[in-house]
């Protein structure tokens, strides 16, 4: 049986991007090892219920084989973590995709800097203009532009990269053969000439709402940093930014007017420590110059030879947003006991643990930082994601409560 079939079988066991799939891979190392595990071995993990153990032991690979065969008929490749072409940057994120259905090529992704450009699907002209300009400048400097092919900011970023004759990569939240968003087939064809379109969802998978938060972890995982160009406070772009922080990526945001709804999300990120961006140089100066760029940087960029050197550079120590807010330095522990209700499978372990600390009485980010021992910036990122998922509610300076 092809190795890809083992991985597709595994993806169907527990769901894509779930906490359980991550824990099982950490324990066994590969999909084939899970497939070959005995009942006793599966019980010893203490991760699976009896029903899930029975499902594993059933070894039903028919659906996985069909997915593999249909992908080949659709003319796309299937990459799994065991393949050399599988992006190494994705191997190390939380719950890496078990399979990538790919059209085009990811060649050079590891050597060439990649930046995700995301934002509102309903952006105004300002947002579209800024996203296009920044994406074109970055692509002209040799940066790969990653986004989600959604209407608005995403498509503006892809088209600008193509205009600059650069590389752009689109990550879908549905099967690769579907014309979703509708009318994007011509754009996808252009993207695959020098870049790629990919998804972790098999052929025929519709664009379900729950697919997109999981899709976003791949967008950030493929990138060195995420630029949010225009977003309201409940935008899915903030989920991508949250994934970026949990994956150790950089977060950038375009400042906006404080009285505009589409600036609330980006301005919130800036308050939490994201770097403000007004030109491509603000991003390019964060990274070392590499030969594979092959082109000059835009005229407004003035590289600092000390900061732009090969290898990793020291990161500036930005003050966590919680410290700026004037919250007490030694807050009392939240009196509300941890919750005991079921936790959604799509949450990461850190998100689930944090959700367990939030009850019916308001608790602040600073209090949660003390309780969990996690950095305030990380706490704020997770809180933003939980709020977008509709699991908690913000009460301003009073803190957060569970819904």
């Amino acid at each position: 049986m092809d190795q890809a079939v083992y991985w597709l079988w595994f993806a169907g066991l527990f769901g894509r991007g779930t906490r359980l799939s991550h824990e099982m891979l950490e324990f066994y190392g590969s999909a084939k090892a899970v497939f070959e595990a005995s009942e006793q071995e599966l019980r010893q993990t203490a991760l699976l219920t009896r029903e899930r153990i029975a499902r594993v032991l059933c070894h039903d690979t028919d659906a996985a084989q069909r997915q593999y065969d249909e992908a080949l008929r659709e003319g796309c490749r299937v990459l799994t973590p065991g393949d050399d072409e599988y992006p190494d940057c994705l191997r190390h994120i939380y719950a890496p995709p078990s399979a990538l259905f790919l059209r085009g090529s990811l060649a050079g992704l590891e050597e060439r800097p990649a930046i995700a450009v995301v934002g509102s699907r309903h952006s105004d002209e300002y947002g579209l203009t800024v996203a296009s300009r920044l994406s074109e400048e970055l692509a002209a400097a040799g940066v790969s532009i990653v986004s989600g092919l959604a209407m608005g900011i995403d498509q503006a970023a892809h088209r600008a990269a193509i205009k600059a004759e650069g590389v752009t990569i689109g990550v879908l939240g549905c099967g690769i053969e579907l014309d979703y968003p509708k009318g994007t087939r011509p754009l996808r064809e252009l993207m695959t000439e020098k870049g790629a379109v990919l998804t972790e969802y098999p052929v025929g998978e519709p664009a379900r709402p729950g697919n997109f938060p999981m899709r976003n972890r791949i967008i950030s995982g493929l990138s060195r940093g995420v630029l949010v160009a225009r977003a309201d406070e409940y935008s899915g772009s903030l989920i991508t930014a949250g994934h970026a922080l949990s994956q150790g990526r950089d977060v950038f945001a375009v400042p906006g007017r404080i009285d505009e709804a589409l600036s609330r999300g980006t301005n919130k990120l800036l308050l939490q420590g994201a770097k403000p961006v007004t030109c491509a140089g603000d991003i390019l100066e964060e990274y070392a110059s590499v030969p594979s760029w092959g082109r000059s940087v835009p005229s407004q960029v003035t590289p600092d030879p000390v900061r732009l050197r090969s290898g990793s550079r020291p990161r500036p120590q930005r003050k966590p947003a919680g410290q700026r807010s004037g919250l007490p330095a030694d807050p009392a522990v939240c009196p509300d006991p941890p919750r005991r209700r079921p936790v959604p499978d799509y949450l990461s372990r850190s998100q689930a643990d944090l959700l367990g600390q939030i009850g019916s009485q308001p608790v602040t980010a600073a209090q949660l930082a003390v309780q969990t021992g996690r950095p305030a910036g990380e706490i704020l990122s997770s809180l933003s994601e939980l709020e977008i998922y509709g699991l908690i509610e913000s009460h301003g300076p009073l803190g957060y409560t569970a819904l």
Side-chain angles (χ1 to χ4, degrees), residues 24-25 34 56 83 95 117 163 171 187 288 315 318 341 393:
M24 287 294 288
L25 275 186
V34 176
V56 174
D83 296 327
V117 180
K163 180 181 177 182
V171 186
L187 175 59
R315 297 289 301 155
R318 298 189 178 100
R341 73 184 190 186
E393 182 179 7

Side-chain angles (χ1 to χ4, degrees), residues 243-260:
H243 285 308
L245 287 173
S246 67
Q247 294 166 350
R249 274 55 168 171
D250 297 313
V251 177
F252 306 92
V254 176
R257 288 172 53 114
I258 63 173
D259 59 347
E260 293 177 340

Side-chain angles (χ1 to χ4, degrees), residues 70-283:
E70 288 170 355
L72 297 183
R73 282 196 294 271
E74 286 293 332
C76 63
R77 289 183 292 154
V78 182
L79 301 183
T80 69
D83 296 327
D84 292 339
E85 293 179 86
Y86 186 92
D88 191 58
C89 53
L90 291 182
R91 288 192 175 97
H92 307 294
I93 68 171
Y94 185 90
S98 298
L100 294 174
F101 299 88
L102 174 72
R103 282 180 177 162
S105 173
L106 296 175
L109 179 65
E110 304 299 336
E111 296 78 28
R112 183 189 304 112
I115 294 294
V117 180
V118 297
S120 174
R121 290 174 297 160
H122 309 289
S123 179
D124 55 12
E125 190 63 30
Y126 168 74
L128 296 175
T129 299
V130 168
S132 296
R133 191 192 80 194
L134 293 174
S135 298
E136 185 174 352
E137 292 173 352
L138 289 168
V143 176
S144 297
I145 301 299
V146 183
S147 199
L149 268 161
M151 301 294 290
I153 296 294
D154 290 21
Q155 289 188 24
H158 291 307
R159 293 184 188 281
I162 293 171
K163 180 181 177 182
E165 299 184 355
V167 174
T168 185
I169 299 168
V171 186
L172 300 173
C174 61
I176 200 165
E177 88 292 358
L178 298 181
D179 185 23
Y180 184 88
K182 189 174 181 180
T184 56
R185 288 193 191 278
L187 175 59
R188 292 194 209 180
E189 291 177 5
L190 290 173
M191 293 171 64
T192 57
E193 290 179 6
K194 292 185 66 175
V197 174
L198 59 90
T199 180
E200 68 175 322
Y201 296 102
V203 170
E205 173 75 14
R208 307 178 196 276
N211 291 356
F212 295 94
M214 294 298 99
R215 179 276 308 264
N216 292 351
R217 84 189 192 284
I218 302 176
I219 292 177
S220 57
L222 288 169
S223 311
R224 294 194 185 183
V226 170
L227 168 64
V228 183
R230 202 79 163 122
D232 63 36
E233 58 186 328
Y234 299 110
S235 171
S237 304
L238 301 189
I239 296 177
T240 310
H243 285 308
L245 287 173
S246 67
Q247 294 166 350
R249 274 55 168 171
D250 297 313
V251 177
F252 306 92
V254 176
R257 288 172 53 114
I258 63 173
D259 59 347
E260 293 177 340
L262 285 173
S263 298
R264 291 173 185 163
T266 50
N267 289 347
K268 183 176 182 179
L269 290 173
L270 294 172
L271 288 171
Q272 295 174 358
K275 179 177 179 177
V277 171
T278 59
C279 67
D282 294 331
I283 296 176

